[in-house]
Amino acid sequence: MVALSMKTVLKVPEEQAWLEAAQTFIQESLCPTDKEPNVQFTQSVIDCVKTVWLSQGKYQGFTLPLSYSFVSVQNLRTHQRLPCCSHLSWSSSAYQTWAQKARPNGVPLPRERLLLVGTLTDLSGDLEQGSRNGSLYVKDNTGMLSCELIDLDLSWLGHLFLFPSWSYLPPARWNSSGEGHLELWEAPVPVFPLTVSPGPLTPLPVLYPEIASRLLRHRSKFRVEQHNLAGKLIQLSALVKSKKKAYFILSLGELSPTVSQAISHVSIIVQIPAQLVWHRALCPGKAYVLTQLRVSRIRGHHYCVWMTSPFSHLMLLEPECVQELELEGPFLETDSKSLPTSSNFQDKKEPKGLMRDSRLLHYTGIVTGVLNEPAGLYELDGQLGLCLAYQQFHDLRRVMRPGVCLELQDVHLLQSVGGGTTRPVLASCLRGAILLRGFSCQKPGTQSSLQTHGASLYEQLVWERQLGLPLYLWAVKVLEELACKLCPHLLRHQQFLQHSSPGNPSLGLQLLAPTLDALALPSRSIRNAHKEILEEPHHCPLQKYAQLQTPCSFPTLATLAEEGRHRAWASFDPKELLPLPEAAHLPCCQLNHRLAWSWICLPPAAFHPPQALVGVLVASSHKGCLQLRDRSGSLSCLLLAKHSQPLTDPQLIGCLVRTEKFQLVVERDVRSNFPSWKELGMTGFIQKQQARVYAQFFLADALILPVPRSFHHSSAPPQTEPTCLGQSRLFLLSHKEALMKRNFCTSLGTTSEVPKPTLSFHVSGCWLGGTQKKERIGWGPPEPLTVENKDQKVLLIFLGSSVRWFEFLHPGQVYRLVAPGPATPKLFEVEGSSCTSQRPLELAGCVSCLTVQDEWTLELESAQDLPDMLGIHKALSGSLLTDLLGANVFLLPSSVTDSLVSFSAEILSRTVCESLKPVCQMKPGNTEVRRCVKLTVAIGTADSEFLPRLDIYIEDPHLPPPLGLLPGARVHFNQLEKRISRSHNVYCCFRSSTYVQVLSFPPETTVSAPLPHIYLAELQQGNWGPFQATASCHVISVVSLQLLWVCAHCTSVCPQGRCIRQGPACSTQTSISQASIRLLVEDGTAEAMVTCRNYHVAAALGLCPNEWTSLLEFIRKPGRVVLKFTGPGAQLESSAKIEEPLILYLHTLCTSPSVLRPVVLSFELERKPSNITPLEPPRLQRFQCGEFPLLTRVNPRLQLACLCIQESSEHPNSQGAFTSSC
């Protein structure tokens, strides 16, 4: 007893301090401000707190909650920065049990020991009823906070309560009002007893739904006054808020409906501001009475509905307190008409099987995930999707988090919506209500910028663009993907997902607009809330839907590039690139060179779903090419403004680009050492493989969105520079050189390191006027020039960061070179350091050079805006065909420019071959075989029916070649070096002055045109004939035949399958067969010597595959057989003794009708046409015609290479006796 008394004594000071603090708080925060402090008022609040505290049963001997302190609304709003909860009536064990529900996926709300007392009201401030909008607030003398309550009793409004269990959530990042809110978990405890209004003294006359609905239909025959309606609540709509007013609609049904009354119900509109709070108190399934209702016509509709008046009341239906009102009249007869019915709703004629009907149902579930809060997308019970976007869910949004329990009334169930959504989706329209049935004990998670922005944009998709649910879900998914691609490093979330308006469009919506315009249903009417809620049959945007086939996707650039690489290597098959029988005759060096480079082109349709390319256009200063960039990385790209027009405007840098018409090009570079064609299926012989991925498209096919500077993300504060700083100068570009690594000399003594080659390029041109200074309205007048400075030619050097301008500079264009910062005299006239020798200046015809600084920029100028501008020749320069294929390179060897040619051509093929440079020019110790790229092009000429062909070689330091040099592409080559081979063939090589401009991309679908059918004499005419053609001719004789087996490694002869090379033995003993035959053919107009190689020899000899294989096996033992036919006999040459039967067989075969027969020959010229060697003149030849000798002029024989030999249709059986079944 002594110990207990001592404990009691110790508690007295603590209780006294607590009571004093409580009295001070109550007098300042809760007592009416217009009255004096009331001791009884203060004691009532303390007694209420004490009662709730003692109700828990485990108060540990304390009669007052000493660990709790009172908190005002203002303190919650200003000092409570983190979510919290307070449970006065809960013990610690009860809280721990409650907190376990949040784990393991969430964090429970932390418990704070705070006492909250305030007035529950639906008035937002001290204003009148006009400020009522259906929201609830907790109010004290310091302020008010909005709140959510599960079950509201209308009698609680305006009374002072102690809230025993509640949670407070500070304002979320998306909440522009900056106001937090309360969640009231349990029923509030009144500080003062609530006054219960007595029931009516006499039963209240009421109408039930069936009679009330008939009364509406026959209102013209009966004077309708204000009545009381009673019934069970069967339907509750959403609370609709518009600019003019807010309202909701409820429907009452019969209490115990019969079969005939099963569909009888009456709808009531509640739009009086003071009555909007009823929406929180109504509970579907309970019976209610609504008093003093009137009949009103809805504007724009043909029917009338019941509507509350300012004097209406809502009360629970008690049968003993009501009495059905008896009415008389003909309208009481049974009427099967339903009201209201849809007057203008017509089923749209949709293809059967495409449109589906959603199901209306009631559902109660728990939110298990937040998919996209601004878009109103959540997860229910871990298996259903929930979309609230088709309602106005602003107030509910702040409560939604995992753990919240919802009751969904009249919600639509949509299955298999498509568009990437796999789970069924519940979506609520305006007809259904979403009722809160339980709060979440979880602490709200940290919200990213993506989860806080975009709500107004998503509302715009639903309410303005009228998207159906499948398309809306796809649009939300795509906007989320695009935001993850571009934000926050390239763009800001807020601007990307902002509401789109005429003066301030949303970048996100602009990217989606082309697809949405193509898929959205035409002429869909604007949603009408009254029709959507009242009319039968029910019609809303969720009623009918079609499964959406995903129109396109927007992958990250890294994902797209990786998918391109994956497909490129998955389709890489050496056996397909080098099919038999061609590969069987190639030595290993040619075999590996043929496999060294290949490419594939992937259009968007090659992916499922089709891909769309989106990124910010940037210029790379490391590669000198354009790139599309997003958060995942960058993708090189080749852009053309349109066909044959390059990109010239540097202002495109920083723009957002979207295109669905592009080509994803993957160039495969392979280093391999396959011994022969037999090992092509073994991947172990591939030493190295790498891929170059880039996209190419036309600017006219892309959506270009300029991005304001404020849209770009930057951690540094924006710097405002004075508009008067800066100077510029115009120049006309006449020539651009190749982008390559060059050596630049540095100042002596600056560094001891050997300078490394730097990626750079040169342009030459002439200044147009003097320097201009920046003014507020533009550029000022140019400074006057002296006579010697007029038309001064200049060489501009771009290196370092200035390399980024390479893709925008093209000959014939006028550019403005802009230098920001204070004006510097003669900035564009004097070069600070000599970084180039005098020789390049002399070659370019320039008197000075200027290095473009990294911070300088370029602007494209229009020649029409220049007053003193002379005519600019913008056509691409080109060499005459006679000069291109002529020998003038030898006529003036001292002139460098005579060997430079320019032309436009279509690339026919691209292969890898050995370097043209001699071995002595290779670096010491470099054992790697140097390679070069060989382009075979067809030169386009306007005066020739057939296009001459030319070979172009690209070697270091021009490797890898520029983007876009692909078979099928049309390219302009400027200042190639023309060379002549020892066999008098003309070919070209890249040099430092070479400039390449892609004019068009390869066609997506290639149709191989048949070779022209000609007479051989057409090739002997003066003009350019076809390089490849077909002719019907007759084989006159076989000139020579060679059959041999060679080493696949060194191409030495292999008798009996063994290489005979002396010295170091070959690493492989693999041998391959090779063959060649020379035929003399004529078609009645001319003669030609045709060379057939390898598998074409079998066709020339008329042998089937089995016969050809057997013949080659006979040759394996000697290794080589050569026959030359010089007359009636055969001169033999071989590497070993040859048996007579083999010689006899080959001699008989080559002189038999099986070989000397009519054929259809496809061929190409052995030597490309040129003017290097003139055509041989016709020679005199003697012929014997009977007894008379004839002397006539005969043209020289043509030299042709066989592409294919086919049997002539006129002589199908010309092979004679040597033909057998194989």
Side-chain angles (χ1 to χ4, degrees), residues 1073-1215:
S1073 63
Q1074 292 185 345
S1076 65
I1077 188 172
R1078 301 192 70 193
L1079 305 175
L1080 181 61
V1081 301
E1082 58 88 18
D1083 66 345
T1085 64
E1087 291 182 349
M1089 190 68 70
V1090 181
T1091 303
C1092 304
R1093 300 185 184 279
N1094 298 326
Y1095 61 94
H1096 293 305
V1097 176
L1101 296 177
L1103 300 178
C1104 69
N1106 288 344
E1107 293 174 339
W1108 175 246
T1109 303
S1110 301
L1111 176 61
L1112 292 178
E1113 289 300 323
F1114 279 109
I1115 306 299
R1116 184 184 292 272
K1117 181 178 180 180
R1120 182 172 182 235
V1121 173
V1122 178
L1123 279 78
K1124 293 184 178 179
F1125 297 85
T1126 58
Q1131 181 181 353
L1132 305 180
E1133 179 185 348
S1134 64
S1135 59
K1137 186 178 179 181
I1138 302 176
E1139 300 296 335
E1140 292 299 330
L1142 180 58
I1143 298 298
L1144 180 61
Y1145 171 76
L1146 292 176
H1147 179 271
T1148 305
L1149 179 63
C1150 293
T1151 57
S1152 68
S1154 299
V1155 177
L1156 309 180
R1157 67 191 189 276
V1159 294
V1160 178
L1161 178 68
S1162 298
F1163 61 88
E1164 66 179 8
L1165 301 179
E1166 271 197 350
R1167 187 170 58 83
K1168 294 180 175 61
S1170 68
N1171 292 333
I1172 303 302
T1173 57
L1175 292 177
E1176 297 181 13
R1179 69 181 186 279
L1180 290 175
Q1181 186 171 351
R1182 185 182 302 274
F1183 292 92
Q1184 190 71 25
C1185 183
E1187 298 179 356
F1188 302 97
L1190 297 177
L1191 189 65
T1192 183
R1193 295 183 181 274
V1194 179
N1195 289 325
R1197 292 172 179 173
L1198 299 169
Q1199 304 295 323
L1200 307 178
C1202 173
L1203 299 177
C1204 178
I1205 290 182
Q1206 296 177 342
E1207 302 302 326
S1208 175
S1209 59
E1210 299 178 0
H1211 301 274
N1213 299 322
S1214 60
Q1215 294 186 11

Side-chain angles (χ1 to χ4, degrees), residues 251-504:
S251 296
L252 298 179
E254 297 291 339
L255 298 179
S256 300
T258 62
V259 177
S260 61
Q261 296 175 334
I263 61 173
S264 296
H265 67 275
V266 62
S267 298
I268 304 169
I269 298 180
V270 181
Q271 62 180 14
I272 304 300
Q275 299 166 0
L276 296 179
V277 73
W278 294 1
H279 194 271
R280 296 175 176 270
L282 291 169
C283 181
K286 292 185 178 181
Y288 296 95
V289 175
L290 283 84
T291 64
Q292 300 189 42
L293 302 182
R294 58 187 176 88
V295 177
S296 178
R297 182 185 295 274
I298 301 177
R299 180 176 299 179
H301 300 271
H302 69 286
Y303 47 80
C304 296
V305 294
W306 292 100
M307 189 175 295
T308 60
S309 66
F311 308 101
S312 298
H313 293 279
L314 172 69
M315 61 185 70
L316 289 172
L317 174 60
E318 299 179 4
E320 64 275 6
C321 297
V322 297
Q323 180 181 0
E324 185 175 4
L325 180 64
E326 296 182 359
L327 298 177
E328 297 180 357
F331 59 87
L332 295 178
E333 299 175 359
T334 302
D335 189 355
S336 60
K337 255 186 174 180
S338 61
L339 181 75
T341 57
S342 176
S343 59
N344 58 354
F345 171 71
Q346 297 177 354
D347 290 333
K348 295 184 178 181
K349 295 181 179 180
E350 300 286 352
K352 292 184 178 181
L354 296 180
M355 298 303 295
R356 306 180 182 184
D357 291 323
S358 61
R359 291 178 54 193
L360 273 177
L361 48 84
H362 303 314
Y363 187 85
T364 301
I366 297 178
V367 177
T368 53
V370 179
L371 304 180
N372 191 316
E373 185 177 351
L377 300 180
Y378 304 90
E379 181 188 68
L380 278 182
D381 298 329
Q383 57 185 359
L384 292 175
L386 174 63
C387 178
L388 305 181
Y390 291 82
Q391 275 198 5
Q392 299 166 327
F393 67 105
H394 302 73
D395 295 337
L396 191 61
R397 178 183 173 188
R398 61 187 181 182
V399 185
M400 296 291 286
R401 62 186 185 275
V404 171
C405 183
L406 299 177
E407 179 184 346
L408 308 175
Q409 295 286 325
D410 290 325
V411 65
H412 292 265
L413 173 64
L414 295 87
Q415 296 178 313
S416 301
V417 296
T421 303
T422 57
R423 68 179 78 192
V425 180
L426 294 174
S428 185
C429 65
L430 297 178
R431 184 172 186 170
I434 303 173
L435 306 178
L436 189 62
R437 291 294 177 245
F439 295 111
S440 172
C441 58
Q442 289 190 22
K443 179 181 177 181
T446 304
Q447 292 181 317
S448 64
S449 298
L450 181 62
Q451 297 170 327
T452 57
H453 299 294
S456 59
L457 176 60
Y458 295 127
E459 291 178 5
Q460 192 174 12
L461 294 177
V462 173
W463 298 94
E464 295 183 19
R465 298 191 68 97
Q466 300 289 313
L467 298 187
L469 182 65
L471 189 55
Y472 174 74
L473 294 178
W474 175 81
V476 171
K477 178 184 176 183
V478 169
L479 283 174
E480 188 173 356
E481 292 176 352
L482 290 174
C484 292
K485 277 167 56 69
L486 303 173
C487 305
H489 301 298
L490 301 177
L491 303 173
R492 297 179 184 272
H493 283 96
Q494 183 176 0
Q495 288 89 351
F496 183 75
L497 296 175
Q498 71 179 3
H499 183 274
S500 186
S501 58
N504 192 17

Side-chain angles (χ1 to χ4, degrees), residues 569 572 668-672 683 686-691:
W569 294 120
F572 178 73
R668 297 176 293 214
D669 189 9
V670 176
R671 299 293 177 98
S672 61
T683 58
I686 298 178
Q687 299 172 325
K688 181 182 178 181
Q689 59 183 26
Q690 59 185 8

Side-chain angles (χ1 to χ4, degrees), residues 722-893:
T723 58
C724 58
L725 295 181
Q727 53 188 333
S728 68
R729 194 171 183 183
L730 295 174
F731 73 94
L732 169 63
L733 194 150
S734 58
H735 176 66
K736 179 172 76 169
E737 295 194 355
L739 178 65
M740 55 182 290
K741 290 187 176 181
R742 292 176 170 86
N743 292 318
F744 288 95
C745 54
T746 57
S747 301
L748 297 177
T750 57
T751 178
S752 59
E753 296 181 0
V754 178
K756 296 182 179 180
T758 304
L759 188 66
S760 64
F761 69 97
H762 303 163
V763 299
S764 58
C766 59
W767 296 116
L768 301 178
T771 302
Q772 298 174 267
K773 294 183 179 180
K774 185 71 175 180
E775 296 181 353
R776 294 186 179 274
I777 58 175
W779 295 103
E783 296 178 355
L785 298 176
T786 60
V787 177
E788 60 271 11
N789 288 334
K790 287 187 177 180
D791 300 330
Q792 181 181 1
K793 293 184 178 181
V794 64
L795 180 70
L796 299 180
I797 302 175
F798 293 80
L799 71 161
S801 296
S802 62
V803 170
R804 67 187 184 274
W805 305 113
F806 178 79
E807 290 292 338
F808 297 99
L809 292 169
H810 298 281
Q813 301 290 341
V814 178
Y815 298 91
R816 182 182 297 275
L817 192 60
V818 180
T824 302
K826 298 184 178 181
L827 178 64
F828 300 114
E829 298 178 7
V830 179
E831 176 62 51
S833 61
S834 178
C835 58
T836 184
S837 62
Q838 193 67 21
R839 179 60 175 166
L841 295 179
E842 295 176 358
L843 296 178
C846 303
V847 296
S848 64
C849 71
L850 180 66
T851 301
V852 177
Q853 304 300 316
D854 293 346
E855 66 274 10
W856 293 2
T857 59
L858 281 178
E859 297 177 3
L860 179 68
E861 292 290 334
S862 174
Q864 299 176 355
D865 300 334
L866 304 176
D868 300 330
M869 185 63 195
L870 299 176
I872 299 177
H873 181 63
K874 297 184 179 181
L876 296 174
S877 59
S879 304
L880 295 177
L881 193 59
T882 54
D883 297 335
L884 176 61
L885 302 179
N888 57 349
V889 65
F890 291 133
L891 299 181
L892 296 173

Side-chain angles (χ1 to χ4, degrees), residues 886-1174:
N888 57 349
V889 65
F890 291 133
L891 299 181
L892 296 173
S894 60
S895 175
V896 179
T897 58
D898 287 339
S899 64
L900 301 181
V901 293
S902 303
F903 55 88
S904 297
E906 178 185 348
I907 299 178
L908 301 178
S909 65
R910 172 174 167 178
T911 56
V912 175
C913 60
E914 294 183 2
S915 175
L916 301 180
K917 296 180 180 180
V919 182
C920 59
Q921 295 186 12
M922 298 179 61
K923 295 181 180 179
N926 187 3
T927 59
E928 183 179 359
V929 178
R930 300 183 62 176
R931 304 190 300 177
C932 74
V933 174
K934 173 185 174 183
L935 302 178
T936 300
V937 301
I939 305 173
T941 57
D943 55 349
S944 178
E945 179 183 359
F946 304 108
L947 306 182
R949 300 195 176 193
L950 193 68
D951 290 336
I952 301 174
Y953 294 89
I954 308 175
E955 297 186 277
D956 282 333
H958 302 284
L959 293 179
L963 303 181
L965 298 186
L966 304 171
R970 187 163 182 80
V971 183
H972 179 75
F973 299 93
N974 189 273
Q975 291 200 5
L976 289 170
E977 181 182 3
K978 184 179 67 173
R979 297 180 182 178
I980 300 175
S981 67
R982 286 173 293 182
S983 59
H984 303 294
N985 274 327
V986 177
Y987 66 98
C988 294
C989 294
F990 271 47
R991 53 171 293 163
S992 60
S993 63
T994 300
Y995 159 65
V996 175
Q997 177 182 330
V998 177
L999 303 178
S1000 64
F1001 304 131
E1004 294 185 3
T1005 57
T1006 58
V1007 179
S1008 57
L1011 296 178
H1013 196 91
I1014 65 171
Y1015 292 105
L1016 295 179
E1018 296 181 34
L1019 300 176
Q1020 298 176 332
Q1021 298 176 359
N1023 55 350
W1024 304 107
F1027 180 71
Q1028 293 181 342
T1030 301
S1032 297
C1033 53
H1034 191 282
V1035 179
I1036 300 175
S1037 64
V1038 176
V1039 178
S1040 65
L1041 172 64
Q1042 179 176 246
L1043 303 173
L1044 68 163
W1045 286 85
V1046 298
C1047 176
H1049 179 70
C1050 66
T1051 66
S1052 299
V1053 178
C1054 292
Q1056 298 181 352
R1058 292 189 300 269
C1059 180
I1060 62 173
R1061 188 181 70 167
Q1062 301 297 326
C1066 288
S1067 58
T1068 177
Q1069 290 297 325
T1070 304
S1071 59
I1072 58 174
S1073 63
Q1074 292 185 345
S1076 65
I1077 188 172
R1078 301 192 70 193
L1079 305 175
L1080 181 61
V1081 301
E1082 58 88 18
D1083 66 345
T1085 64
E1087 291 182 349
M1089 190 68 70
V1090 181
T1091 303
C1092 304
R1093 300 185 184 279
N1094 298 326
Y1095 61 94
H1096 293 305
V1097 176
L1101 296 177
L1103 300 178
C1104 69
N1106 288 344
E1107 293 174 339
W1108 175 246
T1109 303
S1110 301
L1111 176 61
L1112 292 178
E1113 289 300 323
F1114 279 109
I1115 306 299
R1116 184 184 292 272
K1117 181 178 180 180
R1120 182 172 182 235
V1121 173
V1122 178
L1123 279 78
K1124 293 184 178 179
F1125 297 85
T1126 58
Q1131 181 181 353
L1132 305 180
E1133 179 185 348
S1134 64
S1135 59
K1137 186 178 179 181
I1138 302 176
E1139 300 296 335
E1140 292 299 330
L1142 180 58
I1143 298 298
L1144 180 61
Y1145 171 76
L1146 292 176
H1147 179 271
T1148 305
L1149 179 63
C1150 293
T1151 57
S1152 68
S1154 299
V1155 177
L1156 309 180
R1157 67 191 189 276
V1159 294
V1160 178
L1161 178 68
S1162 298
F1163 61 88
E1164 66 179 8
L1165 301 179
E1166 271 197 350
R1167 187 170 58 83
K1168 294 180 175 61
S1170 68
N1171 292 333
I1172 303 302
T1173 57

